Amino acid sequence: MRHEPVPLTRQLGVYEDRGHTVLELRGEIDIVSAAEIGPVLDRVTGRPGVRLVIDLRPVEFFDCSGLRLLYRARARVLERGGQLHLVCTHPLTLRVFRVTGLARLLPPQPGLDEALARSEAASGSL
């Protein structure tokens, strides 16, 4: 059951869904917003075995600061035995993911249900 995200910053809300922490990023993800989001993301990704979904559907602009956040989050989650899935539908952001190779490391899903299904499939194969 999806709940309205609790806003932690202007660009970040969080909620729980089916055993996953969902971080919903919104608006413009640039150097200024990354500085606000980074500490929250570090707290969440610092938990052992975290099951995390980062939802970028409400994002309107995404630059290299956002890429750094995602690469760091992925590394921290994997170091702690967790799972990280990404939801993204914005064509320009998807293009940036493909060009930078992030799409291979963290394949974007078109919706939360698909990301959670991917998570369940990954859990079942362990």
Side-chain angles (χ1 to χ4, degrees), residues 11 18 25-26 28 32 34 48 67 79 87 91 97 101 112 126:
Q11 285 83 19
R18 294 172 260 177
L25 278 61
R26 51 180 102 82
E28 296 185 5
V32 173
L67 285 174
E79 286 171 1
V87 177
F97 292 164
L112 187 59
L126 295 177

Side-chain angles (χ1 to χ4, degrees), residues 20-96:
H20 292 73
T21 300
V22 180
L23 294 179
E24 183 181 272
L25 278 61
R26 51 180 102 82
E28 296 185 5
I29 307 304
D30 56 17
I31 194 165
V32 173
S33 61
E36 293 177 8
I37 294 167
V40 176
L41 196 55
D42 282 351
R43 274 197 309 274
V44 173
T45 59
R47 299 189 314 235
V50 67
R51 296 172 70 190
L52 177 63
V53 176
I54 298 178
D55 188 351
L56 300 177
R57 288 176 294 179
V59 169
E60 299 162 3
F61 175 81
F62 192 89
D63 72 6
C64 62
S65 302
L67 285 174
R68 279 192 295 275
L69 286 174
L70 294 179
Y71 275 108
R72 179 172 168 78
R74 180 182 178 273
R76 289 174 54 85
V77 166
L78 293 178
E79 286 171 1
R80 290 160 180 81
Q83 294 180 11
L84 174 60
H85 299 282
L86 183 65
V87 177
C88 182
T89 56
H90 194 283
L92 292 177
T93 304
L94 290 170
R95 182 171 182 236
V96 169

